[in-house]
Amino acid sequence: MKKICCLILTYNRKNYLKNELDALFKQKYPISAIVIVNNASQDDTYNFLVKYLHINDKIIKEKLYQSMFKEKDIFYYEVAKNNGSSGGFRKCVEIANQLNYDYYWIMDDDIACKFT
């Protein structure tokens, strides 16, 4: 089976992000990994992810962190300064180039969350 990694860019939309993550965990075709790039959110996105995905609660910005949640690799990266959507997606691709998955599915945090 091919390994799929979802790359998510987020900025100040923790409620959308929660819906998106919930949908990804319910996928019929299993996802191997999720990369979340936080584009310097000013809301409570980071604290939400600490509680929801059990990511490291003492992160350093501009550093990639890895953990496991529901048998999936979870990667988290927080930029120091918002680089806009283009800069954020560029960072997603840079991170993907460091990983070893068969396919990458790149998205932002406010897409319709009715995956199957």
Side-chain angles (χ1 to χ4, degrees):
M1 183 175 299
K2 300 289 185 180
K3 296 188 315 182
I4 298 175
C5 178
C6 296
L7 304 159
I8 302 170
L9 176 63
T10 188
Y11 177 71
N12 286 346
R13 293 188 182 120
K14 70 177 182 182
N15 293 334
Y16 289 119
L17 182 58
K18 181 188 180 313
N19 292 339
E20 184 172 19
L21 290 168
D22 287 343
L24 289 174
F25 286 119
K26 293 176 186 173
Q27 282 285 110
K28 290 178 185 171
Y29 191 96
I31 294 167
S32 301
I34 298 173
V35 174
I36 300 169
V37 173
N38 187 343
N39 208 2
S41 293
Q42 301 299 308
D43 65 359
D44 204 30
T45 297
Y46 171 68
N47 290 323
F48 157 71
L49 291 169
V50 167
K51 292 176 187 169
Y52 184 85
L53 297 176
H54 310 289
I55 64 167
N56 188 334
D57 64 348
K58 293 179 175 67
I59 65 116
I60 298 169
K61 292 181 184 197
E62 306 287 339
K63 182 178 176 189
L64 185 62
Y65 289 87
Q66 182 178 3
S67 62
M68 291 289 291
F69 184 74
K70 294 189 178 183
E71 300 179 15
K72 294 176 184 5
D73 290 321
I74 304 295
F75 297 90
Y76 179 78
Y77 186 93
E78 186 169 335
V79 298
K81 178 183 136 197
N82 186 309
N83 297 308
S85 60
S86 296
F89 284 122
R90 178 175 183 234
K91 181 52 71 178
C92 287
V93 172
E94 286 175 8
I95 291 169
N97 285 331
Q98 300 172 35
L99 304 176
N100 187 27
Y101 294 92
D102 298 306
Y103 297 103
Y104 295 90
W105 183 11
I106 193 166
M107 61 193 80
D108 59 13
D109 53 11
D110 62 352
I111 65 170
C113 294
K114 296 191 179 199
F115 310 123
T116 56

Coordinates of all heavy atoms in Angstrom, one line a residue, residues 14-66:
K14 N -8.2 27.3 14.2 CA -8.2 26.0 15.0 C -9.5 25.2 14.8 O -9.4 24.0 14.8 CB -7.8 26.2 16.4 CG -8.8 26.9 17.3 CD -8.4 27.0 18.7 CE -9.5 27.6 19.5 NZ -9.1 27.8 20.9
N15 N -10.6 25.9 14.7 CA -11.9 25.1 14.6 C -11.9 24.4 13.3 O -12.4 23.3 13.2 CB -13.1 26.1 14.8 CG -13.2 26.6 16.2 OD1 -12.7 25.9 17.1 ND2 -13.8 27.7 16.4
Y16 N -11.5 25.1 12.2 CA -11.5 24.4 10.9 C -10.4 23.3 10.9 O -10.7 22.2 10.4 CB -11.1 25.4 9.8 CG -12.2 26.4 9.4 CD1 -12.0 27.8 9.6 CD2 -13.4 26.0 8.9 CE1 -12.9 28.7 9.3 CE2 -14.4 26.9 8.6 CZ -14.1 28.3 8.8 OH -15.1 29.2 8.4
L17 N -9.3 23.6 11.5 CA -8.2 22.6 11.6 C -8.7 21.3 12.4 O -8.4 20.2 11.9 CB -7.0 23.2 12.3 CG -5.8 22.3 12.4 CD1 -5.3 21.8 11.1 CD2 -4.7 23.0 13.2
K18 N -9.5 21.5 13.4 CA -10.0 20.3 14.2 C -10.9 19.5 13.3 O -10.8 18.3 13.2 CB -10.7 20.8 15.4 CG -11.3 19.6 16.2 CD -12.2 20.0 17.3 CE -12.7 18.8 18.1 NZ -13.2 17.7 17.3
N19 N -11.8 20.2 12.5 CA -12.7 19.5 11.6 C -11.9 18.7 10.6 O -12.2 17.6 10.2 CB -13.7 20.4 11.0 CG -14.7 21.0 12.0 OD1 -14.9 20.4 13.0 ND2 -15.2 22.1 11.6
E20 N -10.9 19.4 10.0 CA -10.1 18.7 9.0 C -9.3 17.5 9.5 O -9.3 16.5 8.9 CB -9.1 19.8 8.4 CG -8.3 19.2 7.3 CD -7.4 20.3 6.7 OE1 -7.2 21.4 7.3 OE2 -7.0 20.1 5.5
L21 N -8.7 17.6 10.7 CA -8.0 16.5 11.3 C -9.0 15.4 11.6 O -8.6 14.2 11.4 CB -7.3 17.0 12.6 CG -6.1 17.9 12.3 CD1 -5.6 18.5 13.7 CD2 -5.0 17.1 11.6
D22 N -10.1 15.7 12.2 CA -11.1 14.6 12.4 C -11.5 13.9 11.2 O -11.5 12.6 11.2 CB -12.4 15.2 13.0 CG -12.3 15.7 14.4 OD1 -11.3 15.3 15.1 OD2 -13.2 16.5 14.9
A23 N -11.6 14.6 10.1 CA -12.0 14.0 8.8 C -10.8 13.1 8.3 O -11.0 12.0 7.8 CB -12.4 15.0 7.8
L24 N -9.6 13.6 8.4 CA -8.4 12.9 7.9 C -8.3 11.5 8.7 O -7.9 10.5 8.1 CB -7.2 13.7 8.1 CG -7.0 14.9 7.1 CD1 -5.8 15.7 7.4 CD2 -7.0 14.3 5.6
F25 N -8.5 11.6 10.0 CA -8.4 10.3 10.8 C -9.5 9.3 10.4 O -9.4 8.2 10.8 CB -8.4 10.6 12.3 CG -7.1 11.2 12.7 CD1 -7.1 12.5 13.3 CD2 -5.9 10.6 12.6 CE1 -5.9 13.1 13.7 CE2 -4.7 11.1 13.0 CZ -4.7 12.4 13.6
K26 N -10.6 9.8 9.8 CA -11.7 8.9 9.4 C -11.5 8.4 7.9 O -12.4 7.7 7.4 CB -13.0 9.6 9.6 CG -13.3 9.8 11.0 CD -14.6 10.6 11.1 CE -14.9 11.0 12.5 NZ -16.0 11.9 12.6
Q27 N -10.5 8.8 7.2 CA -10.3 8.4 5.8 C -10.4 6.9 5.6 O -9.9 6.1 6.4 CB -8.9 8.8 5.4 CG -8.7 10.2 5.0 CD -9.4 10.6 3.7 OE1 -10.4 11.3 3.7 NE2 -8.8 10.1 2.6
K28 N -11.1 6.5 4.6 CA -11.1 5.0 4.2 C -9.8 4.5 3.8 O -9.4 3.4 4.1 CB -12.2 4.8 3.2 CG -13.6 5.0 3.7 CD -14.6 4.8 2.6 CE -16.0 5.1 3.1 NZ -17.0 5.1 2.0
Y29 N -9.1 5.3 2.9 CA -7.7 5.0 2.5 C -6.8 5.5 3.6 O -6.8 6.7 3.8 CB -7.4 5.6 1.2 CG -6.1 5.0 0.6 CD1 -6.2 4.0 -0.3 CD2 -4.9 5.5 0.9 CE1 -5.1 3.4 -0.9 CE2 -3.7 5.0 0.4 CZ -3.8 3.9 -0.5 OH -2.7 3.4 -1.0
P30 N -6.0 4.7 4.2 CA -5.2 5.1 5.4 C -4.1 6.1 5.0 O -3.5 6.0 4.0 CB -4.6 3.9 5.9 CG -4.7 2.9 4.9 CD -5.9 3.3 4.0
I31 N -4.0 7.1 5.8 CA -3.0 8.2 5.7 C -1.9 7.8 6.7 O -2.1 7.4 7.8 CB -3.6 9.5 6.1 CG1 -4.6 9.9 5.0 CG2 -2.5 10.6 6.2 CD1 -5.5 11.1 5.5
S32 N -0.6 7.9 6.2 CA 0.5 7.5 7.0 C 1.0 8.6 7.9 O 1.5 8.4 9.0 CB 1.6 7.0 6.1 OG 1.2 5.9 5.3
A33 N 0.9 9.8 7.4 CA 1.5 11.0 8.2 C 0.7 12.2 7.9 O 0.0 12.4 6.9 CB 2.9 11.2 7.8
I34 N 0.8 13.2 8.9 CA 0.2 14.5 8.7 C 1.3 15.5 9.2 O 1.9 15.3 10.2 CB -1.0 14.7 9.6 CG1 -2.1 13.7 9.2 CG2 -1.5 16.1 9.6 CD1 -3.3 13.7 10.1
V35 N 1.6 16.5 8.3 CA 2.5 17.5 8.6 C 1.6 18.8 8.8 O 0.8 19.1 7.9 CB 3.5 17.8 7.5 CG1 4.3 19.0 7.8 CG2 4.4 16.6 7.3
I36 N 1.8 19.5 9.9 CA 1.1 20.7 10.2 C 2.1 21.8 10.2 O 3.0 21.8 11.1 CB 0.3 20.7 11.5 CG1 -0.8 19.5 11.4 CG2 -0.4 22.0 11.7 CD1 -1.4 19.2 12.7
V37 N 2.0 22.8 9.3 CA 2.8 24.0 9.4 C 1.9 25.1 9.9 O 1.0 25.5 9.3 CB 3.4 24.3 8.0 CG1 4.1 25.6 8.0 CG2 4.3 23.2 7.5
N38 N 2.3 25.6 11.1 CA 1.6 26.7 11.7 C 2.2 28.0 11.2 O 3.4 28.3 11.6 CB 1.6 26.6 13.2 CG 0.8 27.6 13.9 OD1 0.4 28.6 13.3 ND2 0.5 27.3 15.2
N39 N 1.5 28.8 10.5 CA 2.0 30.0 9.9 C 1.9 31.2 10.8 O 1.4 32.2 10.5 CB 1.3 30.3 8.6 CG 2.1 31.1 7.6 OD1 3.3 31.4 7.8 ND2 1.5 31.4 6.4
A40 N 2.5 31.0 12.1 CA 2.5 32.0 13.1 C 1.1 32.4 13.6 O 0.9 33.6 13.7 CB 3.4 33.2 12.7
S41 N 0.3 31.5 13.8 CA -1.1 31.8 14.3 C -1.0 32.6 15.6 O -0.2 32.3 16.4 CB -1.8 30.5 14.5 OG -2.1 29.8 13.3
Q42 N -2.0 33.5 15.7 CA -2.1 34.3 16.9 C -3.2 33.8 17.8 O -3.4 34.4 18.9 CB -2.3 35.7 16.5 CG -1.2 36.3 15.7 CD 0.1 36.3 16.4 OE1 0.2 36.8 17.5 NE2 1.1 35.7 15.8
D43 N -4.0 32.8 17.4 CA -5.1 32.3 18.2 C -4.5 31.1 19.1 O -3.3 31.1 19.3 CB -6.3 31.9 17.4 CG -6.0 30.7 16.4 OD1 -4.8 30.2 16.4 OD2 -6.9 30.3 15.7
D44 N -5.3 30.2 19.5 CA -4.9 29.2 20.4 C -4.6 27.9 19.6 O -4.7 26.8 20.2 CB -6.0 28.9 21.4 CG -5.6 28.3 22.7 OD1 -4.4 28.5 23.0 OD2 -6.4 27.5 23.3
T45 N -4.2 28.0 18.4 CA -3.9 26.8 17.5 C -2.9 25.9 18.1 O -3.1 24.7 18.2 CB -3.5 27.2 16.1 OG1 -4.5 27.9 15.5 CG2 -3.1 26.0 15.3
Y46 N -1.8 26.4 18.6 CA -0.7 25.6 19.1 C -1.2 24.8 20.4 O -1.0 23.6 20.5 CB 0.5 26.4 19.5 CG 1.5 25.7 20.3 CD1 2.3 24.7 19.7 CD2 1.7 26.0 21.6 CE1 3.2 24.0 20.4 CE2 2.7 25.3 22.3 CZ 3.4 24.3 21.7 OH 4.4 23.6 22.4
N47 N -1.9 25.5 21.3 CA -2.4 24.8 22.5 C -3.4 23.8 22.2 O -3.5 22.7 22.8 CB -2.9 25.8 23.5 CG -1.8 26.6 24.1 OD1 -0.7 26.2 24.4 ND2 -2.1 27.9 24.3
F48 N -4.2 24.0 21.2 CA -5.2 23.0 20.7 C -4.5 21.8 20.2 O -4.8 20.7 20.6 CB -6.1 23.6 19.6 CG -6.7 22.6 18.7 CD1 -7.7 21.8 19.2 CD2 -6.2 22.4 17.4 CE1 -8.2 20.8 18.4 CE2 -6.7 21.4 16.6 CZ -7.7 20.6 17.1
L49 N -3.4 22.0 19.4 CA -2.7 20.8 18.9 C -1.9 20.0 20.0 O -1.8 18.8 19.9 CB -1.7 21.3 17.8 CG -2.4 21.8 16.5 CD1 -1.4 22.4 15.6 CD2 -3.1 20.6 15.8
V50 N -1.5 20.7 21.0 CA -0.8 20.1 22.1 C -1.8 19.1 22.8 O -1.5 17.9 23.1 CB -0.3 21.1 23.2 CG1 0.1 20.4 24.5 CG2 0.9 21.8 22.6
K51 N -3.1 19.6 23.0 CA -4.1 18.7 23.6 C -4.6 17.7 22.7 O -4.8 16.5 23.1 CB -5.2 19.6 24.1 CG -4.8 20.5 25.3 CD -5.9 21.4 25.7 CE -5.4 22.4 26.8 NZ -6.3 23.4 27.0
Y52 N -4.9 18.0 21.4 CA -5.6 17.1 20.5 C -4.7 16.0 20.0 O -5.0 14.9 20.0 CB -6.2 17.9 19.3 CG -6.9 17.1 18.3 CD1 -8.3 16.9 18.5 CD2 -6.3 16.6 17.2 CE1 -9.0 16.1 17.6 CE2 -7.1 15.9 16.3 CZ -8.4 15.6 16.5 OH -9.1 14.9 15.6
L53 N -3.4 16.4 19.6 CA -2.5 15.5 19.0 C -1.4 15.1 19.9 O -0.5 14.3 19.5 CB -1.9 16.1 17.7 CG -2.9 16.4 16.6 CD1 -2.1 17.0 15.4 CD2 -3.6 15.1 16.1
H54 N -1.3 15.6 21.1 CA -0.3 15.4 22.1 C 1.1 15.7 21.5 O 2.1 15.0 21.7 CB -0.3 13.9 22.5 CG -1.7 13.5 22.9 ND1 -2.3 13.9 24.1 CD2 -2.6 12.7 22.3 CE1 -3.5 13.4 24.2 NE2 -3.7 12.6 23.2
I55 N 1.2 16.8 20.8 CA 2.5 17.2 20.3 C 3.3 17.9 21.5 O 2.7 18.2 22.5 CB 2.4 18.2 19.1 CG1 1.7 19.5 19.6 CG2 1.7 17.6 17.9 CD1 1.9 20.6 18.5
N56 N 4.6 18.0 21.3 CA 5.5 18.6 22.3 C 4.9 20.0 22.7 O 4.5 20.8 21.9 CB 6.8 18.8 21.6 CG 7.9 19.2 22.6 OD1 7.6 19.8 23.6 ND2 9.1 18.9 22.2
D57 N 4.9 20.1 24.0 CA 4.3 21.4 24.6 C 5.4 22.4 24.9 O 5.1 23.5 25.4 CB 3.5 21.1 25.9 CG 4.4 20.6 27.0 OD1 5.5 20.2 26.8 OD2 3.8 20.5 28.1
K58 N 6.6 22.2 24.4 CA 7.7 23.1 24.6 C 8.5 23.3 23.3 O 9.7 22.9 23.2 CB 8.6 22.7 25.7 CG 8.0 22.8 27.1 CD 8.9 22.3 28.2 CE 8.3 22.5 29.5 NZ 7.2 21.7 29.8
I59 N 7.8 23.8 22.3 CA 8.5 23.8 20.9 C 9.3 25.1 20.8 O 9.1 26.1 21.5 CB 7.4 23.7 19.8 CG1 6.5 25.0 19.8 CG2 6.6 22.5 19.9 CD1 6.7 25.8 18.6
I60 N 10.3 25.0 19.9 CA 11.1 26.1 19.4 C 10.6 26.4 18.0 O 10.6 25.4 17.2 CB 12.6 25.7 19.5 CG1 13.0 25.4 20.9 CG2 13.4 26.9 18.9 CD1 14.4 24.8 21.0
K61 N 10.3 27.6 17.7 CA 9.9 27.9 16.4 C 11.0 27.6 15.3 O 12.2 27.7 15.7 CB 9.5 29.4 16.3 CG 8.2 29.6 17.1 CD 7.8 31.1 17.0 CE 6.6 31.2 17.9 NZ 5.8 32.3 17.8
E62 N 10.6 27.4 14.1 CA 11.5 27.0 13.0 C 12.2 25.7 13.2 O 13.3 25.5 12.7 CB 12.5 28.2 12.8 CG 12.0 29.5 12.6 CD 11.3 29.7 11.3 OE1 11.6 29.0 10.3 OE2 10.4 30.7 11.2
K63 N 11.6 24.8 14.0 CA 12.2 23.4 14.1 C 11.1 22.4 13.9 O 9.9 22.6 14.4 CB 12.7 23.3 15.6 CG 13.3 22.0 15.8 CD 13.9 21.9 17.2 CE 14.5 20.5 17.5 NZ 14.8 20.2 18.8
L64 N 11.4 21.3 13.2 CA 10.4 20.3 12.9 C 10.4 19.3 14.1 O 11.4 18.8 14.5 CB 10.8 19.6 11.6 CG 9.8 18.5 11.1 CD1 8.4 19.2 10.8 CD2 10.4 17.8 9.9
Y65 N 9.1 19.0 14.5 CA 8.9 18.0 15.6 C 8.1 16.9 15.1 O 7.3 17.0 14.2 CB 8.1 18.7 16.8 CG 9.0 19.7 17.5 CD1 9.0 21.0 17.1 CD2 9.7 19.3 18.6 CE1 9.8 21.9 17.8 CE2 10.5 20.2 19.3 CZ 10.5 21.5 18.9 OH 11.3 22.4 19.6
Q66 N 8.4 15.7 15.6 CA 7.7 14.5 15.2 C 7.1 13.8 16.4 O 7.8 13.7 17.4 CB 8.6 13.5 14.4 CG 7.9 12.3 13.9 CD 8.8 11.4 13.1 OE1 10.0 11.6 13.0 NE2 8.3 10.3 12.6

